[in-house]
């Protein structure tokens, strides 16, 4: 993908997040269900210091027949929360009609859901509908782990003039049984941070976890990685929630989960720490240089083998040999306290590069 540039207004200038509140916090129910459920939940959240209230008005559900959201009827309930409690309000939009109605209802911020950000047609429709709009828009990751698709969605909005842009990481779907409802695959938001260091990254541990018990570890991981905020589902009575009942917290439990998080900073003025860190980093730099030299020496030997195979009309691939290498490195990895999966990935990459090089030699 070409080197994408985004023209962004930093979140500190959006007038939505309070810079004193770390992590930035957005909370509220999965779905707007009734005025009473909404107002009671919001009031409790506000008393606990939450200033940004979320609720799904239109719900993208996997199968028809589930509760698909209250629809526009719920918009005045959110407006009341904004007016009477002084909270900022945000909801999900997935098409032009949603954008029109949400803006008319005075939303302070919008988000785009995971099923929508995966669809370029829907994203383009939203970008067109949002032309000229000045409120912030947060884009959830697409359901499939494709960082370019995620960036493409951001790019469409940015080209339509939306500069108050941020993302929400909510994990990725998989087939089959797994611990989390959606796989965190932290490498994707990490890659986004690398490409767009100034862009706000919020983590949604609720949809990632799928159940309450797993939320704290994911929220802590988000803090350890230095992401900016959390979007957490909270309902005044999760047991009777019409959607995502198992992953919603009552407001007090949500707040105590957040209060228990360890917040880390990205840097410090402590000179002793900084000096020690620099020293350790210079060891790492030296080791990286050694690794490159070793990889280069290994590749030169692989080339010799490739030429030798070619002269003797022998195939590049000899599966027995690869099995032997894997068995040997697995043994060495476990003797040296290294994660097998990690070593597997590294050696598969090294082996593949050798094969590619040898195949190239064959055709020269
Ligand atoms: C939601 O936030 O309620 C929601 C539907 O999330 P997602 O788009 O991440 O599935
Ligand atoms: Mn939900």
């Amino acid at each position: 993908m070409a080197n994408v540039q985004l023209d962004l207004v930093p979140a500190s200038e959006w007038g939505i997040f309070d810079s004193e509140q770390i992590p930035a916090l957005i909370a509220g129910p999965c779905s707007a269900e009734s005025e009473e459920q909404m107002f009671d939940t919001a009031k409790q959240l506000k008393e606990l210091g939450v200033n940004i209230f979320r609720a799904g008005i239109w719900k993208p559900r996997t199968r028809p027949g589930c509760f698909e959201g209250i629809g526009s009827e719920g918009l005045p309930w959110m407006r009341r929360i904004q007016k009477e409690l002084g909270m900022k309000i945000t909801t999900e939009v997935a098409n032009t009609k949603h954008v029109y109605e949400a803006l008319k209802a005075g939303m302070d911020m919008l988000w785009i859901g995971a099923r929508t950000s995966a669809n370029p047609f829907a994203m383009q429709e939203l970008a067109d509908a949002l032309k000229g709009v000045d409120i912030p828009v947060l884009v959830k990751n697409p359901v499939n782990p494709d960082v370019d698709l995620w960036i493409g969605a951001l790019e469409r909005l940015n080209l339509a003039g939306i500069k108050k842009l941020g993302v929400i990481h909510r994990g990725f779907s998989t087939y089959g049984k797994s611990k989390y409802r959606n796989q965190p695959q932290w490498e994707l938001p990490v890659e986004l941070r690398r490409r767009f260091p100034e862009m706000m990254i919020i983590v949604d541990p609720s949809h990632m976890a799928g159940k309450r018990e797993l939320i704290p570890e994911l929220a802590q991981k988000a803090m350890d990685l230095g992401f900016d905020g959390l979007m957490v589902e909270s309902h005044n009575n999760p047991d009777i929630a019409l959607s995502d009942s198992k992953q919603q917290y009552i407001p007090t439990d949500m707040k105590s989960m957040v209060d228990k998080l360890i917040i880390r900073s990205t840097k410090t003025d402590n000179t002793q720490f900084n000096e020690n860190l620099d020293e350790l980093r210079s060891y790492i730099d030296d080791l990286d240089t050694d690794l490159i030299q070793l990889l280069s020496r290994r590749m030169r030997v692989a080339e010799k083998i490739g030429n030798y195979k070619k002269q003797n009309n022998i195939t590049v691939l000899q599966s027995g040999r690869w099995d032997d290498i894997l068995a040997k490195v697995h043994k060495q990895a476990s003797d040296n306290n290294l994660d097998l999966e990690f070593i597997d990935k590294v050696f598969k990459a090294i082996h593949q590069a050798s094969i590619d090089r040898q195949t190239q030699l064959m055709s020269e």
Side-chain angles (χ1 to χ4, degrees):
M1 196 193 212
N3 199 6
V4 178
Q5 302 286 340
L6 296 175
D7 184 6
L8 300 173
V9 172
S12 56
E13 293 167 27
W14 294 357
I16 297 277
F17 298 104
D18 170 4
S19 61
E20 306 286 295
Q21 194 176 53
I22 300 172
L25 196 55
I26 304 170
C30 179
S31 305
E33 298 167 6
S34 71
E35 182 161 10
E36 198 252 317
Q37 165 247 7
M38 291 277 274
F39 199 78
D40 183 39
T41 307
K43 194 160 170 289
Q44 291 185 45
L45 288 169
K46 177 71 192 181
E47 278 160 11
L48 292 162
V50 176
N51 296 315
I52 311 172
F53 182 77
R54 65 147 278 157
I57 292 284
W58 302 280
K59 299 302 297 177
R61 305 308 300 277
T62 303
R63 300 188 50 222
C66 300
F67 175 63
E68 298 197 300
I70 194 80
S72 309
E73 193 190 327
L75 291 167
W77 309 339
M78 291 193 82
R79 185 74 166 168
R80 180 176 165 218
I81 286 161
Q82 183 191 48
K83 287 263 166 320
E84 292 182 24
L85 301 175
M87 296 176 88
K88 304 279 185 202
I89 52 172
T90 180
T91 197
E92 172 176 345
V93 289
N95 60 35
T96 306
K97 172 184 173 273
H98 297 164
V99 170
Y100 174 77
E101 302 230 346
L103 293 176
K104 201 170 63 171
M107 286 296 150
D108 296 294
M109 182 162 69
L110 300 173
W111 88 80
I112 293 167
R115 292 157 199 76
T116 311
S117 65
N119 178 349
F121 289 127
M123 279 312 305
Q124 192 55 51
E125 177 188 327
L126 284 171
D128 294 339
L130 286 163
K131 263 197 189 109
V133 168
D134 194 40
I135 63 171
V137 180
L138 302 173
V139 181
K140 285 196 167 195
N141 61 263
V143 279
N144 48 323
D146 180 340
V147 81
D148 289 328
L149 190 60
W150 198 355
I151 293 173
L154 293 163
E155 226 184 331
R156 286 177 199 277
L157 295 169
N158 203 224
L159 288 169
I162 308 294
K163 297 184 182 179
K164 295 177 182 165
L165 260 188
V167 298
I168 303 173
H169 171 48
R170 52 74 86 191
F172 302 92
S173 19
T174 49
Y175 180 67
K177 247 198 157 125
S178 59
K179 179 176 177 188
Y180 301 117
R181 176 179 175 191
N182 289 295
Q183 307 317 301
Q185 298 198 252
W186 295 101
E187 60 275 23
L188 279 96
V190 165
E191 173 64 9
L192 272 194
R193 171 115 313 162
R194 189 187 69 76
R195 294 213 214 167
F196 313 106
E198 68 287 9
M199 191 167 59
M200 177 155 215
I201 301 183
I202 306 245
V203 173
D204 169 350
S206 307
H207 289 90
M208 221 180 261
K211 32 180 181 304
R212 267 183 301 274
E213 310 80 81
L214 297 176
I215 293 176
E217 65 193 49
L218 292 166
Q220 184 58 55
K221 181 88 177 183
M223 297 301 100
D224 294 346
L225 289 169
F227 293 130
D228 309 294
L230 298 171
M231 181 192 251
V232 191
E233 284 189 337
S234 178
H235 190 292
N236 64 346
N237 191 353
D239 291 344
I240 57 161
L242 298 179
S243 59
D244 291 352
S245 154
K246 290 196 171 59
Q247 72 192 30
Q248 302 204 60
Y249 276 119
I250 56 168
T252 47
D253 287 352
M254 190 281 305
K255 187 59 170 34
S256 67
M257 182 280 290
V258 173
D259 287 345
K260 284 194 199 107
L261 296 172
I262 301 163
I263 309 297
R264 307 182 197 280
S265 23
T266 50
K267 44 181 178 297
T268 166
D269 296 332
N270 179 335
T271 31
Q272 188 61 52
F273 169 85
N274 285 328
E275 279 169 14
N276 289 343
L277 190 64
D278 284 347
E279 190 180 327
L280 291 169
R281 282 181 168 163
S282 76
Y283 290 150
I284 288 278
D285 291 345
D286 291 348
L287 289 166
D288 285 346
T289 308
D290 292 350
L291 276 174
I292 293 284
Q293 278 166 6
L294 278 173
L295 287 171
S296 161
R297 275 168 53 198
R298 192 187 192 284
M299 189 57 93
R300 300 294 86 82
V301 178
E303 282 168 354
K304 262 191 199 140
I305 296 177
N307 282 321
Y308 205 46
K309 285 176 183 163
K310 184 180 178 182
Q311 284 154 19
N312 291 279
N313 239 350
I314 301 287
T315 56
V316 167
L317 215 55
Q318 279 147 357
S319 61
R321 169 66 182 148
W322 172 232
D323 291 341
D324 293 346
I325 294 185
L326 261 193
K328 191 185 67 193
V329 296
H330 276 178
K331 166 86 175 59
Q332 289 176 349
S334 69
D335 291 348
N336 287 282
N337 250 332
L338 284 164
D339 182 63
L340 282 195
E341 209 178 311
F342 160 63
I343 288 302
D344 234 57
K345 274 192 204 151
V346 171
F347 274 85
K348 279 191 178 134
I350 292 175
H351 184 241
Q352 190 57 48
S354 292
I355 290 173
D356 291 348
R357 184 69 191 115
Q358 291 188 355
T359 336
Q360 199 184 20
L361 287 171
M362 293 279 171
S363 63
E364 268 171 16

